[in-house]
Amino acid sequence: MPAVISARGLVKRYGDFTAVDGIDFDIEQGESFGFLGPNGAGKSTTMRMISAVSTRTDGTLDVLGLDTNDHGPEIRAQLGVVPQADTLDTELRARDNLVVYGRYFGLPRAVVQQRADELLAFAQLEEKAKARVDDLSGGMKRRLTIARGLMNEPRILLLDEPTTGLDPQARHILWDRLFRLKERGTTLVLTTHFMDEAEQLCDRLVVVDHGRIVAEGSPASLIREHSSREVLEVRFGSSRNAEAAAAMQGIGDRLEVLPDRILVYAHDGDAALQAIHAKDLKPITSLVRRSSLEDVFLRLTGRTLIE
């Protein structure tokens, strides 16, 4: 089956600044695909080009078999878009936001009314149908924005930083709604700088830094390829970390010295901690955890996802 989104040598420049620097990717039908990277990496710029609201500078980009520079209206009619910032109409009630948006696509009034009710149920907002947008919590607004993006029954749903600013409970509710969409066969394309979000939602992702793709694969395969099984985090105090790291050379597979802590990458984090104690080093705090996508990003770029 051909890819629903395909890019080759995709470039976007703003004057002398290159926001997206020659990237290649393919996204399959029904896949949940992510762009993982820090703010300013080029993720949102790529999403704007995919959604055919920003033209590319160079390269090729096809969505549903159509060139994004030449077929913007046809592409946008088949996409659902959840922007980074909520753009709900605060003058309207929750259900009316869906109805008015659905009418933009020329859908019959009866169809719009039915879909609005179905999507309010999907978003767990039935009891808030008549509530004003300003009276909704942040999580409810995000779910309403996703429901609005589904009014035209899109083949592809684009989500730009879908859970930024939400509390943990609201994030998990939103993840559940997105996972249900994935089960229905909707293609999801999302940007995020949250490693746990990418691990939860993405079948496959690309790690982006300074407009370039530095790695691609499933979350599990990227961790296996670029990190160790476990990570030991130790803190000796900001003034002593560098000195302690020098004395820890040879422990684990490798060390990363951050301003506030030292990361020891090892197959067995507890054994690495014992080796540190054997050198008569006494960390203030220690934590053994599984490797994550943030460790992958740190290995590939030398910096954390959120700086």
Side-chain angles (χ1 to χ4, degrees):
M1 184 179 295
V4 293
I5 302 174
S6 182
R8 293 293 179 272
L10 183 62
V11 174
K12 180 65 178 184
R13 298 189 189 95
Y14 297 97
D16 295 332
F17 174 68
T18 301
V20 177
D21 193 7
I23 63 175
D24 302 337
F25 59 87
D26 292 301
I27 303 174
E28 305 299 327
Q29 174 66 43
E31 186 174 28
S32 181
F33 186 91
F35 292 91
L36 178 68
N39 293 328
K43 308 185 305 296
S44 296
T45 301
T46 301
M47 292 288 269
R48 286 194 291 272
M49 289 189 284
I50 291 174
S51 59
V53 296
S54 176
T55 57
R56 65 184 179 275
T57 305
D58 203 356
T60 64
L61 177 60
D62 294 333
V63 176
L64 299 170
L66 302 173
D67 185 292
T68 55
N69 277 12
D70 300 331
H71 299 278
E74 297 98 315
I75 291 171
R76 289 192 292 272
Q78 301 181 76
L79 300 180
V81 178
V82 179
Q84 187 170 352
D86 290 322
T87 55
L88 298 166
D89 192 331
T90 58
E91 300 296 319
L92 300 177
R93 300 183 186 276
R95 186 177 184 276
D96 293 336
N97 264 272
L98 304 185
V99 171
V100 171
Y101 188 77
R103 295 291 287 171
Y104 289 148
F105 293 92
L107 299 172
R109 186 176 299 275
V111 172
V112 168
Q113 299 284 352
Q114 179 181 350
R115 287 187 188 172
D117 291 335
E118 292 172 350
L119 288 169
L120 283 172
F122 170 78
Q124 296 181 312
L125 291 171
E126 291 169 292
E127 296 180 357
K128 299 294 183 179
K130 295 183 179 180
R132 294 193 177 278
V133 169
D134 284 341
D135 294 331
L136 300 178
S137 68
M140 291 176 181
K141 289 178 182 178
R142 290 308 277 168
R143 300 205 306 272
L144 182 61
T145 301
I146 289 175
R148 186 186 64 178
L150 296 170
M151 281 296 295
N152 61 324
E153 295 187 332
R155 294 178 59 185
I156 302 170
L157 183 64
L158 307 179
L159 303 113
D160 194 4
E161 305 284 357
T163 65
T164 295
L166 300 186
D167 62 59
Q169 182 181 13
R171 292 179 74 207
H172 281 279
I173 293 173
L174 193 59
W175 287 350
D176 176 68
R177 299 298 100 182
L178 294 177
F179 189 76
R180 290 170 186 253
L181 284 176
K182 178 183 167 185
E183 288 182 320
R184 295 180 183 182
T186 303
T187 302
L188 304 180
V189 184
L190 63 113
T191 72
T192 183
H193 58 251
F194 294 126
M195 57 204 171
D196 55 343
E197 184 160 272
E199 291 176 4
Q200 287 282 338
L201 297 178
C202 296
D203 301 314
R204 194 164 51 91
L205 56 90
V206 291
V207 180
V208 184
D209 187 34
H210 296 301
R212 295 184 178 181
I213 293 174
V214 296
E216 178 178 355
S218 68
S221 68
L222 287 171
I223 292 171
R224 283 195 305 270
E225 182 179 355
H226 298 287
S227 192
S228 58
R229 179 176 176 271
E230 293 184 342
V231 181
L232 167 64
E233 298 187 6
V234 289
R235 290 179 168 85
F236 293 88
S238 56
S239 62
R240 295 187 57 227
N241 281 337
E243 177 185 350
M248 289 165 52
Q249 293 301 317
I251 297 177
D253 300 328
R254 65 184 177 89
L255 304 178
E256 289 281 357
V257 183
L258 303 181
D260 62 332
R261 64 196 186 278
I262 303 169
L263 305 182
V264 184
Y265 292 90
H267 179 75
D268 187 336
D270 289 320
L273 182 57
Q274 291 176 6
I276 291 173
H277 288 153
K279 289 179 175 286
D280 202 28
L281 296 171
K282 297 178 174 59
I284 298 171
T285 64
S286 62
L287 170 69
V288 176
R289 59 172 175 80
R290 302 283 291 192
S291 280
S292 71
L293 286 173
E294 183 155 11
D295 297 304
V296 172
F297 194 84
L298 184 61
R299 173 73 181 273
L300 294 171
T301 70
R303 58 198 183 109
T304 57
L305 281 167
I306 303 175
E307 294 189 321

